[in-house]
Amino acid sequence: MKNVWILLLAISLSTYVKATEGMWLPLLLAQLNEQEMQSMGMKMTAEDIYSVNKGSLKDAIVHFGGFCTGEVISDQGLVLTNHHCGYGQIQSHSTLENNYLEDGFWAMNRKQEIPNPGLFVTFIVRIEDVTDLVLNNVTEDMDAKMRQSWVDKNTKEVTAAAKMEDYQEAMVRDFFEGTKYYMFVTETYRDIRLVGAPPSSIGKFGADTDNWVWPRHTGDFSLFRIYASPDNKPAEYSEENVPFKPRHHLPISLDGVEEDDFTLVFGFPGRTEEYLPAAAIEQRVDVVNPIRIGIRDRALNVVNTAMQADPGVRIKYASKQSRIANYWKKWIGENQGIKATDGVGRKKAYEAEFRERVMGNPEWREKYGSLLSSFERLYGDLEPYAATNTAVGEIAGRNIELFRLANTLHSVVKMYESSGAPMVESRMGRLEDFVEDFYKDYEPSVDQGVFATLMDYYFTEISDEHQAPFAVERYVEAGKDADKLASMIYLKSKLARPGVLELAMEEGPEALIKLIKNDVAYALARAISDYNDDNVAGKYRDIKAEIDDLQQQYMRAQIDVFTERRFYPDANGTLRVTYGKVDGYQPRDAVRYEPVTYLDGVMEKYVPGDYEFDVPQRLRKLYQKKDYGDYGEDGKMPVCFIGTNHTTGGNSGSPAIDAYGNLIGLNFDRAWEGTMSDLNYDASICRNIMVDARYILFVIDKFAGAGHLVEEMTLVHPKKG
């Protein structure tokens, strides 16, 4: 029976990477994926997707702002991305008088398109394998520090020697835990203008309730335009710039999707950790995620209450609330998905087969025999430090705005202490822009509420030996009452008062540094962070460094041991292709989700006046008349669909592309049950959620009356030949 079990497990491992799993480098599609993709229905070749010799799909894909993906959908530089990717820009242009978040925005001509300082898009020109060059003089017996020294030296030489135009850049990224290296030659455009955005009642329909959830009915899209110099090269904003002419733009299919249709998602996924050991997954599920979720629960309770009570706060905190809530809900789904699919058990079964093979081979036993037991020991040592480090990161680093401001100002203090007033003076313009932007959307009373509830967590949930003495002293002064501590800090802190910091900046670096150093909120933030750095984070980093070294060995070991398995690199913010099919799923017993939603579902969810489920009157009228133009299907208006593509954060705004290379949708989310795909993909429940391209066109044309934008797109009927 044991031999039969091993045989069955080996068979399952040989097909461990399902056809729908993986985030593949476009450079390698011809040798690794093309045949399989075509067997799934794709009509293109690998060169149609990625080519350096001709225009290809990759020339229409952009890294949007460094945090999302976008795609060029016209020969005039029109870029499509998610509403939530453009949310910060839409918010920054919104006021109570011109509330583009609530009412939407549509430029009816080029002069109305709005510049966005600081926003950029990046194209990938080409990708090169530079592994041999980067690992030159690196040997297996080197310690981690020496190895990294050689890698850094070689990387500088590789990028310096890269053949490229003077307006291009080169970057090298590591893959498979530093066993492979690729160079990306890029072009970045920095004159990006807002063209169109639906109202949040469409672009964010369902808001927090529907976030990470299927069925979904959200028109999560926005439009921008790339401007270039008159010779079509990257340029800073100028009135002389003209719409960018791309090497390729995506045609848009009007034929829609059906179950089992081939789908390709092209974009810049942020970060996955698919090759972690079971011990790491257990710690994430049982320790780290519950801390993150609990802290953000508290912050969201305060922010949500304030937003519901005050329309002005709602505008100021719309983007901030989304930032807090997005990963809060993702972590909840991640935990549930891992437990529902026995993700830890699957990892342990995989590791059992790994051990079996390793112990049966003398060479492997010598090299890899102690890897898994070392992981278990090290993750046990890491746990108390991981718990505190996670909590302090959420409290002092992310969710209390006053602390986030103090952290930024601390970098100014360090600059002053190391380089003097002239250096601070030279950076004052940039600091002024940051401070102005910070206070524009800052409400001290809301932040004080968040401070109170999170500091209560700090003093009641974090172990006593990990609490900063200075913070404890202030807490005792406040009678061990977090609300009183908050009142004391926000009353005394000058950083909590808009205008005071600006005045100090006008007086010069010395006055600014004096104000910062004497501020009680700054002192408290530094005390918590510094104590954590000295007593927790340092030990965390030391143990984590050992784990990272083991992880690199474990990655090499898996590749050596499972020769029949096809490995794909973890996402690291670089350009990837993932492919799958339109497909429903069954999240639990007796529940089956269909793969397509319609405008009927929007109306079923409609709640007049509700900030999540209100529906614009014009959309309701179009629905009543069934006035869908060329975009409807059998008297219905498709809204969203799901597929089996393996996606993650950063894939927001990625195009969903059909078998012929046409845009059929816009990726914007994952189904809640499958958010654990960052750690453990399972084809049974992992689904990515996309807006149907026809719904996007319908909203632009029929709802917004911006048909001139549709006219510059290329609309096709591939299924009709």
Side-chain angles (χ1 to χ4, degrees):
M1 285 300 295
K2 179 182 178 183
N3 290 335
V4 171
W5 161 247
I6 291 174
L7 176 61
L8 289 173
L9 184 58
I11 292 171
S12 72
L13 288 170
S14 68
T15 56
Y16 190 85
V17 177
K18 306 291 194 301
T20 57
E21 181 181 359
M23 299 176 178
W24 306 94
L25 280 165
L27 174 69
L28 304 177
L29 292 178
Q31 64 193 75
L32 292 178
N33 311 96
E34 183 182 61
Q35 184 176 354
E36 180 179 71
M37 295 167 79
Q38 291 173 343
S39 73
M40 294 171 62
M42 187 181 78
K43 308 302 180 184
M44 298 178 286
T45 65
E47 192 172 11
D48 293 328
I49 299 170
Y50 172 87
S51 176
V52 294
N53 300 313
K54 64 176 185 177
S56 59
L57 293 185
K58 71 123 167 108
D59 297 305
I61 314 302
V62 297
H63 205 179
F64 185 86
F67 51 83
C68 278
T69 301
E71 51 276 356
V72 185
I73 56 171
S74 83
D75 62 1
Q76 298 169 55
L78 194 63
V79 170
L80 177 67
T81 190
N82 287 153
H83 185 267
H84 75 259
C85 292
Y87 204 75
Q89 282 69 40
I90 301 166
Q91 180 201 35
S92 71
H93 301 305
S94 294
T95 63
L96 286 173
E97 294 74 27
N98 294 299
N99 192 337
Y100 299 141
L101 286 177
E102 184 172 325
D103 303 326
F105 169 81
W106 304 97
M108 293 304 172
N109 55 60
R110 299 285 165 80
K111 289 185 179 179
Q112 292 181 0
E113 296 177 357
I114 306 176
N116 298 278
L119 183 61
F120 61 89
V121 301
T122 299
F123 290 89
I124 302 298
V125 178
R126 69 178 187 275
I127 308 171
E128 297 179 12
D129 186 342
V130 293
T131 303
D132 291 344
L133 295 173
V134 172
L135 295 182
N136 184 37
N137 291 318
V138 174
T139 60
E140 281 194 16
D141 59 350
M142 277 184 178
D143 61 42
K145 186 175 180 180
M146 178 63 72
R147 184 185 195 279
Q148 193 59 49
S149 177
W150 274 108
V151 167
D152 291 343
K153 175 180 180 295
N154 293 338
T155 297
K156 288 180 181 178
E157 293 176 356
V158 168
T159 53
K163 294 181 180 179
M164 56 186 176
E165 304 294 336
D166 57 6
Y167 53 84
Q168 296 174 339
E169 296 177 301
M171 64 177 185
V172 173
R173 293 288 183 269
D174 72 284
F175 297 79
F176 296 118
E177 306 291 346
T179 61
K180 294 287 289 185
Y181 290 84
Y182 290 90
M183 180 173 71
F184 296 76
V185 176
T186 65
E187 289 180 2
T188 297
Y189 291 76
R190 301 185 183 278
D191 186 353
I192 313 299
R193 306 183 193 181
L194 177 63
V195 174
S200 291
S201 53
I202 291 176
K204 201 181 176 185
F205 182 78
D208 299 327
T209 298
D210 277 4
N211 190 26
W212 301 105
V213 169
W214 184 258
R216 199 67 175 275
H217 300 86
T218 311
D220 193 348
F221 77 93
S222 58
L223 293 168
F224 291 78
R225 193 183 303 279
I226 306 170
Y227 279 75
S229 64
D231 60 356
N232 209 43
K233 299 295 188 297
E236 297 293 334
Y237 170 80
S238 169
E239 292 184 0
E240 305 302 316
N241 289 346
V242 297
F244 170 68
K245 298 294 183 184
R247 291 185 71 195
H248 181 74
H249 70 275
L250 297 181
I252 302 176
S253 171
L254 291 175
D255 289 347
V257 300
E258 303 172 66
E259 190 152 15
D260 209 40
D261 276 359
F262 176 84
T263 56
L264 182 150
V265 171
F266 213 163
F268 294 84
R271 182 67 60 181
T272 58
E273 298 172 286
E274 303 291 343
Y275 303 106
L276 292 175
I281 306 299
E282 284 184 301
Q283 188 168 105
R284 186 76 57 87
V285 171
D286 297 336
V287 179
V288 173
N289 280 353
I291 291 171
R292 292 165 163 171
I293 293 164
I295 289 175
R296 294 201 179 194
D297 266 335
R298 290 174 174 237
L300 284 168
N301 286 338
V302 174
V303 172
N304 289 342
T305 300
M307 289 176 66
Q308 291 169 12
D310 187 332
V313 172
R314 190 176 306 139
I315 291 175
K316 287 183 177 182
Y317 276 75
S319 182
K320 298 175 187 178
Q321 192 273 351
S322 294
R323 175 185 57 80
I324 298 169
N326 191 46
Y327 269 83
W328 163 80
K329 195 166 186 178
K330 187 260 187 185
W331 292 323
I332 295 172
E334 182 175 270
N335 271 19
Q336 292 182 352
I338 289 174
K339 291 175 182 177
T341 59
D342 191 24
V344 173
R346 291 172 63 208
K347 285 281 187 181
K348 288 182 176 179
Y350 176 76
E351 290 172 3
E353 173 62 9
F354 176 82
R355 278 194 180 96
E356 188 83 23
R357 295 190 185 195
V358 166
M359 293 307 173
N361 181 308
E363 182 182 349
W364 290 345
R365 184 167 61 246
E366 177 69 23
K367 290 173 66 176
Y368 309 134
S370 64
L371 276 175
L372 294 176
S373 59
S374 295
F375 272 132
E376 292 168 2
R377 173 180 57 80
L378 286 170
Y379 274 103
D381 294 343
L382 186 72
E383 185 169 312
Y385 304 109
T388 297
N389 208 47
T390 298
V392 171
E394 287 292 317
I395 294 169
R398 296 182 184 90
N399 292 297
I400 297 175
E401 293 177 90
L402 192 56
F403 280 1
R404 293 177 66 195
L405 174 63
N407 293 337
T408 299
L409 295 177
H410 183 58
S411 66
V412 179
V413 172
K414 290 195 296 183
M415 184 190 304
Y416 179 85
E417 291 174 344
S418 63
S419 304
M423 179 61 75
V424 174
E425 188 67 49
S426 70
R427 305 293 176 90
M428 199 66 85
R430 188 182 304 176
L431 180 61
E432 288 171 354
D433 290 342
F434 167 80
V435 170
E436 180 182 357
D437 186 61
F438 176 85
Y439 286 119
K440 174 179 178 289
D441 295 320
Y442 183 61
E443 191 63 48
S445 63
V446 177
D447 193 38
Q448 181 175 327
V450 174
F451 176 98
T453 189
L454 297 197
M455 291 307 296
D456 177 74
Y457 184 101
Y458 181 83
F459 293 115
T460 59
E461 300 296 331
I462 291 177
S463 60
D464 292 348
E465 64 270 24
H466 290 171
Q467 294 175 18
F470 179 86
V472 173
E473 289 169 8
R474 303 289 82 70
Y475 185 54
V476 171
E477 286 175 9
K480 294 190 176 181
D481 185 319
D483 288 319
K484 290 182 179 178
L485 175 65
S487 297
M488 181 179 74
I489 296 298
Y490 281 74
L491 180 64
K492 291 182 178 180
S493 174
K494 294 181 179 179
L495 299 181
R497 303 176 205 168
V500 177
L501 188 59
E502 288 94 329
L503 288 175
M505 292 167 65
E506 291 177 6
E507 292 180 30
E510 287 81 3
L512 173 63
I513 299 302
K514 182 179 179 181
L515 171 69
I516 296 171
K517 284 188 170 183
N518 290 334
D519 191 86
V520 63
Y522 173 80
L524 182 59
R526 290 321 313 157
I528 292 172
S529 295
D530 289 345
Y531 191 82
N532 187 70
D533 286 344
D534 293 342
N535 298 276
V536 178
K539 294 177 182 177
Y540 175 89
R541 286 190 295 267
D542 289 343
I543 299 170
K544 192 66 169 59
E546 292 186 65
I547 289 174
D548 290 344
D549 185 54
L550 274 185
Q551 188 67 42
Q552 189 175 82
Q553 296 176 48
Y554 186 44
M555 189 74 252
R556 287 198 299 266
Q558 291 176 81
I559 294 171
D560 284 351
V561 171
F562 295 114
T563 55
E564 75 281 13
R565 182 179 173 184
R566 184 179 49 164
F567 289 88
Y568 59 90
D570 270 318
N572 62 356
T574 58
L575 188 63
R576 304 296 180 89
V577 170
T578 174
Y579 50 94
K581 290 193 173 187
V582 176
D583 194 13
Y585 70 107
Q586 185 172 334
R588 51 193 173 275
D589 184 50
V591 175
R592 160 74 184 178
Y593 284 145
E594 296 302 315
V596 179
T597 61
Y598 297 89
L599 194 55
D600 306 61
V602 174
M603 300 308 160
E604 290 170 1
K605 292 179 176 179
Y606 168 46
V607 179
D610 185 88
Y611 84 99
E612 293 185 306
F613 295 106
D614 202 359
V615 177
Q617 182 182 24
R618 177 159 177 75
L619 186 60
R620 300 199 308 271
K621 286 185 176 180
L622 290 168
Y623 173 74
Q624 291 165 0
K625 296 177 180 179
K626 299 295 184 283
D627 185 5
Y628 304 141
D630 297 330
Y631 315 117
E633 176 185 277
D634 299 327
K636 301 178 75 175
M637 185 67 245
V639 175
C640 296
F641 63 96
I642 52 174
T644 59
N645 302 77
H646 190 177
T647 61
T648 187
N651 276 125
S652 291
S654 290
I657 297 170
D658 68 7
Y660 307 89
N662 306 303
L663 184 78
I664 51 174
L666 183 64
N667 188 82
F668 71 97
D669 207 351
R670 284 175 284 169
W672 201 25
E673 297 86 356
T675 55
M676 49 81 176
S677 62
D678 289 350
L679 305 172
N680 189 33
Y681 180 90
D682 188 309
S684 67
I685 62 171
C686 289
R687 295 293 181 273
N688 63 308
I689 305 176
M690 297 156 277
V691 191
D692 195 301
R694 294 169 295 173
Y695 188 58
I696 294 172
L697 296 174
F698 162 74
V699 171
I700 295 171
D701 189 358
K702 303 296 292 185
F703 174 83
H708 63 287
L709 296 174
V710 177
E711 289 176 4
E712 70 177 82
M713 305 173 196
T714 304
L715 308 184
V716 297
H717 286 281
K719 290 184 178 180
K720 299 177 181 178

